[in-house]
Amino acid sequence: MSAQMEFDPRRLVESFAGICRDILVRPRDFFRSLPHAGSILNPLLFLAICVFLSCLCMANILKGDYRLLLLLVSTNLLSDFVMSAILHGLVKKAFSSSVPFAATFRVIAYSSLTDLAAWIPFAGTIATFYGLYLIFLGLQEIHQLRPRHAGIAVIAITALSLGAGIAALIAGRDWLHLSEISPLPAPLE
């Protein structure tokens, strides 16, 4: 394991590359080495970089303007905070974890590395499932959960995220006038 434990924005490129390498090559060791408490600023900056880059690619693919980019970035960041809070509440109540919220947020923030490839056809599916695996490993290491408990938490948060994502897509579609880009099928009569 490299000496680096958390993202350091003062060494932006070197730190980002090191974190990416550690998450991809030694994810269990990476999560094991993370601090459980402290400021969430550095993980938040790592998350923001991953979210911005992936949303920029997605907005370009959808031929969207700055409104789509802002919507994608803001909803992604907000959903990561909400997901962290729900996940934290779940593992705290259901599995008696005493680890602080900052640790759960770190798991979500660093697992967001996979968002960088989530917009790529086929590779995005693999990246998304790897992201879920990273959350699974992170929960095991940070919260000391048994595999079954970490799996239940990941399945629960995935189901909630899917439902919220579908609702947001339907609600945001008209606001962004995306129906001109990819129309929904006509309703059956």
Side-chain angles (χ1 to χ4, degrees):
M1 178 77 183
S2 65
Q4 172 178 333
M5 286 176 43
E6 278 218 275
F7 176 65
D8 182 1
R10 293 171 295 179
R11 303 174 339 184
L12 185 73
V13 174
E14 177 187 354
S15 181
F16 190 83
I19 293 290
C20 292
R21 179 192 62 241
D22 289 346
I23 291 172
L24 293 173
V25 176
R26 295 179 288 271
R28 188 175 295 278
D29 292 337
F30 173 78
F31 286 116
R32 187 177 294 140
S33 73
L34 285 178
H36 289 195
S39 172
I40 62 169
L41 180 60
N42 290 353
L44 176 60
L45 292 172
F46 182 88
L47 171 65
I49 291 169
C50 292
V51 165
F52 176 77
L53 293 174
S54 66
C55 291
L56 182 63
C57 293
M58 185 58 74
N60 282 326
I61 286 172
L62 293 173
K63 297 180 173 83
D65 60 7
Y66 71 95
R67 294 178 304 158
L68 178 59
L69 177 63
L70 289 175
L71 179 69
L72 290 172
V73 169
S74 60
T75 56
N76 200 319
L77 288 173
L78 178 64
S79 69
D80 285 336
F81 267 105
V82 170
M83 182 167 55
S84 297
I86 293 170
L87 196 54
H88 184 71
L90 176 66
V91 297
K92 190 172 183 123
K93 295 288 186 194
F95 308 122
S96 303
S97 175
S98 61
V99 176
F101 171 77
T104 307
F105 181 76
R106 281 177 171 84
V107 170
I108 298 302
Y110 290 119
S111 296
S112 74
L113 168 66
T114 59
D115 289 351
L116 293 175
W119 58 273
I120 302 170
F122 183 69
T125 303
I126 295 168
T128 299
F129 281 109
Y130 189 66
L132 294 173
Y133 174 70
L134 290 175
I135 294 170
F136 171 79
L137 284 181
L139 290 175
Q140 281 187 292
E141 294 302 323
I142 294 283
H143 288 278
Q144 299 296 306
L145 295 181
R146 293 186 296 186
R148 183 176 63 180
H149 292 162
I152 290 169
V154 168
I155 289 169
I157 201 65
T158 301
L160 283 171
S161 295
L162 268 172
I166 290 168
L169 180 64
I170 291 168
R173 187 175 182 81
D174 292 329
W175 182 72
L176 290 169
H177 307 289
L178 291 177
S179 57
E180 299 164 10
I181 295 172
S182 60
L184 287 174
L188 297 174
E189 294 182 13

